[in-house]
């Protein structure tokens, strides 16, 4: 039996956690997501089910077999297809009213301002090693006073950092300027999760290779990231709830059944993180 789409009915089970007025507010909000891979695709579908009505999405890649363990939209029927096309179709199947603006060549200095124009919040879905794109988009977020959320899938957990207007910026926290890409990778890894909850059950440390741009992942970590990011986006979009911003962060690890709130004043300039970065350099030699 066919049935026409009805926004109020489709998202009626959100009501109770949201008021009806808040649900309508989300309907008109615009979220930017760069990267539709391990976490980005899950971010999009989770926010679509929340009822967010407008998106700017960016990704230049296509689906491959190596994506199957974690990426929303990665199936045999999507092999070789553009992630932008596959994920937009899945989101439109959830809410055919969603408005999309797509950036299928990825994000770079020349288009980042267009990517963020009219957006209410940025949610980071870029590949860990997409250093140039991530630097460009977070610098633009700071320049435009736009809230930015990044949640890293580390092991079987999720590590959250929010970068809010008027607070510490991505560059002030991670201190990438003047660094090689290998150094950027090390600083990003250390700064994302200073509590290191995932390290105790990493069975093969050799799989983390900054030079080779490789690292292990789990579907649990990516799914947890989507829930955390969407919850932060909801609070930002509706102006309710406490927002923990860098240099404070939150790391939840499902394997260890632990959650910690971290605080590293100065970000990677903090003495503890500087020591961790120095140890990482020595191990990579």
């Amino acid at each position: 039996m066919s049935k026409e789409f009805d926004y109020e009915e489709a998202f009626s089970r959100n009501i109770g956690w949201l008021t009806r007025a808040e649900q309508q507010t989300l309907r008109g909000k615009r979220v930017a997501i760069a990267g539709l891979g391990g976490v980005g695709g899950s971010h999009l579908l989770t926010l679509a089910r929340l009822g967010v009505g407008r998106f700017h999405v960016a990704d230049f890649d296509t689906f491959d077999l190596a994506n199957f363990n974690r990426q929303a939209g990665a199936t045999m029927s999507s092999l070789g297809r553009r992630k932008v096309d596959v994920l937009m179709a899945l989101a439109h199947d959830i809410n055919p009213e969603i408005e999309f603006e797509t950036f299928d060549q990825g994000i770079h200095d020349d288009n980042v301002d267009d990517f963020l124009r009219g957006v209410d919040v940025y949610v980071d879905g870029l590949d860990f090693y997409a250093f140039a794109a991530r630097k460009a988009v977070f610098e633009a977020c700071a320049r435009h006073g736009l809230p930015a959320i990044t949640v890293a899938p580390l092991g079987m957990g999720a590590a959250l950092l929010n970068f809010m207007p008027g607070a510490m910026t991505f560059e002030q926290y991670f201190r990438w300027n003047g660094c090689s890409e290998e150094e950027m990778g090390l600083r990003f890894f250390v700064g994302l999760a200073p509590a290191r909850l995932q390290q105790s059950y990493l069975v093969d440390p050799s799989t983390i290779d900054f030079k080779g741009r490789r690292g292990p992942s789990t579907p649990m970590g990516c799914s947890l990231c989507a829930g955390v990011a969407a919850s932060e986006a909801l609070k930002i979009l509706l102006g309710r709830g406490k927002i923990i911003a860098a240099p404070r962060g939150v790391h939840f690890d499902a394997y260890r059944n632990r959650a910690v709130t971290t605080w590293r004043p100065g970000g990677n300039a903090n003495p503890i993180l500087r020591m961790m970065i120095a140890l990482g350099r020595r191990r990579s030699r």
Side-chain angles (χ1 to χ4, degrees):
M1 177 180 176
S2 62
K3 190 172 184 177
E4 290 186 2
F5 178 78
D6 179 87
Y7 180 92
E8 285 76 13
E9 184 176 353
F11 303 109
S12 61
R13 295 298 289 272
N14 292 338
I15 306 305
W17 301 113
L18 304 178
T19 67
R20 295 186 186 280
E22 286 175 330
Q23 187 67 69
Q24 289 300 318
T25 296
L26 292 178
R27 189 177 191 175
K29 292 297 185 180
R30 189 181 304 272
V31 175
I33 304 172
L36 295 177
V39 292
S42 295
H43 290 336
L44 174 59
L45 298 186
T46 302
L47 289 165
R49 292 193 187 280
L50 189 61
V52 173
R54 300 169 184 170
F55 292 92
H56 290 186
V57 292
D59 200 298
F60 59 82
D61 204 3
T62 58
F63 280 114
D64 197 358
L65 279 171
N67 306 144
F68 275 36
N69 81 310
R70 69 202 181 282
Q71 295 195 13
T75 62
M76 289 302 295
S77 62
S78 68
L79 278 175
R81 294 178 59 197
R82 296 194 313 172
K83 293 177 183 179
V84 165
D85 296 336
V86 172
L87 269 301
M88 278 201 310
L90 289 171
H92 270 144
D93 252 1
I94 295 166
N95 178 2
E97 296 178 356
I98 287 177
E99 298 175 12
F100 277 107
E101 187 168 347
T102 61
F103 295 76
D104 58 11
Q105 300 303 309
I107 293 299
H108 44 77
D109 288 332
D110 292 337
N111 70 0
V112 67
D113 289 328
D114 290 334
F115 175 65
L116 296 177
R117 185 169 290 115
V119 162
D120 297 294
V121 63
Y122 169 68
V123 182
D124 188 22
L126 290 165
D127 181 86
F128 181 92
Y129 296 100
F131 302 119
R134 181 169 278 113
K135 194 173 190 300
V137 75
F138 275 97
E139 285 180 352
C141 285
R143 190 165 64 247
H144 294 298
L146 185 66
I149 302 166
T150 188
V151 191
L154 296 172
M156 301 175 209
L160 164 73
L161 285 171
N162 290 315
F163 295 93
M164 300 297 291
M168 177 175 259
T169 67
F170 182 95
E171 172 56 32
Q172 288 169 342
Y173 184 88
F174 285 105
R175 300 172 67 84
W176 273 6
N177 283 344
C179 294
S180 67
E181 290 199 344
E182 185 179 349
E183 178 72 8
M184 286 182 184
L186 176 59
R187 292 187 180 202
F188 195 41
F189 182 73
V190 169
L192 280 169
R196 297 169 57 87
L197 295 182
Q198 79 283 2
Q199 288 299 114
S200 65
Y201 58 89
L202 177 65
V203 296
D204 186 357
S206 70
T207 57
I208 298 176
D209 179 4
F210 296 127
K211 288 182 180 178
R213 296 193 168 204
R214 293 192 306 274
S217 60
T218 70
M220 299 84 81
C222 293
S223 296
L224 285 166
C225 285
V228 171
S231 299
E232 296 301 303
L234 179 148
K235 291 188 290 183
I236 291 168
L237 293 171
L238 296 179
R240 69 177 234 201
K242 182 180 180 181
I243 305 296
I244 296 175
R248 298 184 186 273
V250 178
H251 190 170
F252 170 69
D253 191 282
Y255 185 88
R256 295 187 61 186
N257 297 318
R258 284 195 63 195
V260 298
T261 300
T262 57
W263 181 48
R264 296 296 184 269
N268 278 339
N270 183 278
I272 296 173
L273 297 192
R274 287 173 61 188
M275 181 180 66
M276 292 168 64
I277 291 167
L279 286 171
R281 287 195 200 106
R282 282 202 281 270
R283 289 171 182 166
S284 65
R285 287 173 185 163

